[in-house]
Amino acid sequence: MAVTLNQWIAELSNITLSLSALYTAFQLFKDHRAPAVGFFLLGSSAVLCSLPLSSPAVIGVQGELEWAGGVLGPALVSFGFLWLSQDHSTAHVLLVGSAALLGLRDWLSPETLVVMSRCLALSSLCCSLTVCVFTTNVAGALGSVALSLPALVAPVPGAKAFTSLVAPGDAEHVLKCLLKGLMAIGCLSIKKALDRHLLDLQSWD
């Protein structure tokens, strides 16, 4: 019964995240292309996680895509905030750093991968929070925190050491489901924040 309940909770969290992320990606694509791509990655990985897969190879790819979405999603959202704020150089540095981490993943040790992933998550979060604080965009700040939390506390596929801030088992499972629920809320919050930021910039012009 406990296993079945855990499976249902995991399925519900994945479906909720996929619907929220894909809806946000569709709504943002016209005016915010980079964040839309990030949300599409998050939504696609959540869809794959909700499928009943049995092949170890496919499950491995599923975990890799989930990690990539968790890394690139917040970075692309931060890119969107920075780009709207005319800080194009920082936006490009963040984007290049994210792409470099994905490209170098297979050459990094597990411990280095964990450290680099969390450094990137912190960098993305700091960039978003900086913009949101100076523009008093509360929705953007809350959404950025919700999107970045999984990369800060969740396990990294293939990395066995220092990957999670909680002990493995039921506690880790509950944490992952809770984080996905927060990410689903964060997707909608970021949509509202980006739209407001764009409207503010247009009103200043």
Side-chain angles (χ1 to χ4, degrees), residues 3-49:
V3 174
T4 302
L5 179 60
N6 285 341
Q7 289 175 344
W8 274 107
I9 293 174
E11 290 295 318
L12 181 61
S13 64
N14 285 320
I15 292 173
T16 302
L17 176 57
S18 63
L19 291 176
S20 177
L22 292 176
Y23 168 78
T24 304
F26 176 77
Q27 293 294 318
L28 291 179
F29 185 74
K30 180 180 179 181
D31 296 318
H32 311 281
R33 299 290 173 86
V37 172
F39 286 121
F40 179 77
L41 288 174
L42 284 175
S44 300
S45 64
V47 169
L48 279 181
C49 288

Side-chain angles (χ1 to χ4, degrees), residues 10-109:
E11 290 295 318
L12 181 61
S13 64
N14 285 320
I15 292 173
T16 302
L17 176 57
S18 63
L19 291 176
S20 177
L22 292 176
Y23 168 78
T24 304
F26 176 77
Q27 293 294 318
L28 291 179
F29 185 74
K30 180 180 179 181
D31 296 318
H32 311 281
R33 299 290 173 86
V37 172
F39 286 121
F40 179 77
L41 288 174
L42 284 175
S44 300
S45 64
V47 169
L48 279 181
C49 288
S50 66
L51 299 177
L53 304 176
S54 57
S55 171
V58 178
I59 292 175
V61 172
Q62 180 190 67
E64 298 284 347
L65 182 59
E66 184 178 15
W67 174 79
V71 168
L72 274 181
L76 289 171
V77 168
S78 297
F79 179 92
F81 278 117
L82 291 168
W83 194 266
L84 288 176
S85 301
Q86 302 300 314
D87 191 354
H88 296 172
S89 58
T90 305
H92 283 126
V93 168
L94 185 62
L95 188 62
V96 170
S98 304
L101 179 59
L102 292 178
L104 296 174
R105 186 193 190 287
D106 292 336
W107 286 273
L108 298 175
S109 67

